[in-house]
Amino acid sequence: MKPPNSIFYLLLLCVLFLPVDVGYAQEAFTSFAEGLPALKIQSNEQNETTYSLSLQILALMTGLTLLPSLVLGATSFTRIIIVLSILRQAMGTQQTPPNQVLIAIALFLTFFIMTPTLTEINNKALDPYMEGEIPAKTALASGSNTLKEFLVKNTRETDLGMFTDLIGDKGYEDHTQIPLTVILPAFITSELKTAFQIGFLLFLPFLVIDMVIASILMSLGMMMLSPMLVALPFKLLLFVLVDGWAMTVGSLVATYASN
């Protein structure tokens, strides 16, 4: 009988991805896969574990399904897309730029910001693993430590301390000791706070323009004329004169600590 997918994926994650002692889980998975010739786990004389092609493909497909969550929660994407959305709302341009354009801008800026981290992960973990120099467990540990370094640099100490206290830990000596279950929620919480702070600063000048235009229209007795409609060209003019897109994008990139 074919085993349920939930049990299969749980055992696979225990073997491949948990940063703990996985000897018991690996032994259980090995016994589970004995009846499936396509799923094999072997160990050589150097105590290095090798996985069959089917398991490697399965791990790759599982990683691809988790990729959107990693892009949203472990990169700069969240801060950028929130700031751009608040900026569009402050300008009052409705759906201009459209959502697809904002997502594309956020993705390209995320790739630009994350390039040093991704390059280091590729040099320290992915390339050595693909060339057979290090086992999968070592590659995963090296890659996760590099990602943790980026996350810790861009996470507020208060947010990290809050989640550390919630699980009952007293603290960590360096970023390699921080589990992903702590640093990931701390990072996303810090990103949300920073994004709203930047959005508030961007909203202020456009709010002033709205108030001035509304006061002028009221003093002229033009009650039926929409202040937002009149203020829109002045907002666009101000944004273009100060080179708003370059200023906003440059400021967002500068808020991240480089590696």
Side-chain angles (χ1 to χ4, degrees):
M1 180 183 298
K2 184 178 180 180
N5 290 334
S6 58
I7 299 178
F8 180 78
Y9 280 112
L10 179 60
L11 290 173
L12 179 64
L13 289 174
C14 289
V15 173
L16 297 180
F17 297 106
L18 290 181
V20 295
D21 185 8
V22 295
Y24 177 78
Q26 184 171 347
E27 181 180 354
F29 186 82
T30 304
S31 60
F32 162 77
E34 285 181 354
L36 303 176
L39 305 178
K40 294 182 179 180
I41 301 177
Q42 300 177 347
S43 299
N44 55 21
E45 298 178 354
Q46 288 76 24
N47 200 23
E48 295 178 352
T49 304
T50 58
Y51 303 92
S52 64
L53 180 60
S54 300
L55 279 179
Q56 295 180 23
I57 295 176
L58 183 59
L60 176 61
M61 299 303 297
T62 304
L64 290 177
T65 60
L66 298 175
L67 185 60
S69 299
L70 292 177
V71 171
L72 291 175
T75 65
S76 58
F77 181 85
T78 300
R79 182 189 303 187
I80 296 172
I81 194 63
I82 290 177
V83 170
L84 294 180
S85 299
I86 294 177
L87 175 62
R88 182 179 64 179
Q89 184 177 359
M91 294 177 64
T93 55
Q94 301 301 324
Q95 294 298 318
T96 305
N99 292 331
Q100 293 87 344
V101 175
L102 293 185
I103 293 175
I105 295 173
L107 284 175
F108 290 142
L109 290 179
T110 299
F111 181 76
F112 177 81
I113 294 171
M114 298 298 297
T115 294
T117 301
L118 296 177
T119 302
E120 187 174 352
I121 292 176
N122 181 71
N123 295 335
K124 292 185 177 181
L126 184 58
D127 280 348
Y129 171 71
M130 296 298 294
E131 295 175 0
E133 298 177 358
I134 58 176
K137 184 177 180 180
T138 303
L140 289 173
S142 178
S144 62
N145 289 336
T146 303
L147 181 61
K148 288 178 185 178
E149 183 179 0
F150 169 81
L151 298 177
V152 170
K153 285 183 178 180
N154 296 282
T155 303
R156 287 182 171 84
E157 294 184 2
T158 54
D159 296 325
L160 184 58
M162 178 185 67
F163 284 96
T164 301
D165 295 336
L166 287 176
I167 65 172
D169 287 350
K170 296 183 179 179
Y172 309 98
E173 296 181 359
D174 54 27
H175 66 276
T176 59
Q177 298 181 355
I178 305 177
L180 290 175
T181 54
V182 172
I183 186 58
L184 286 177
F187 174 76
I188 196 65
T189 303
S190 179
E191 287 291 280
L192 290 174
K193 183 177 181 180
T194 303
F196 278 97
Q197 288 178 343
I198 299 175
F200 171 76
L201 296 177
L202 289 175
F203 216 107
L204 285 180
F206 299 106
L207 179 62
V208 172
I209 294 178
D210 284 334
M211 295 176 63
V212 171
I213 296 297
S215 300
I216 294 175
L217 293 178
M218 186 175 295
S219 64
L220 294 176
M222 299 179 180
M223 299 298 206
M224 303 302 294
L225 188 59
S226 174
M228 294 183 60
L229 182 62
V230 178
L232 179 57
F234 292 98
K235 292 179 181 179
L236 295 177
L237 178 62
L238 173 64
F239 197 69
V240 171
L241 288 177
V242 300
D243 199 6
W245 286 113
M247 184 181 299
T248 302
V249 169
S251 300
L252 280 172
V253 174
T255 56
Y256 283 92
S258 61
N259 288 337

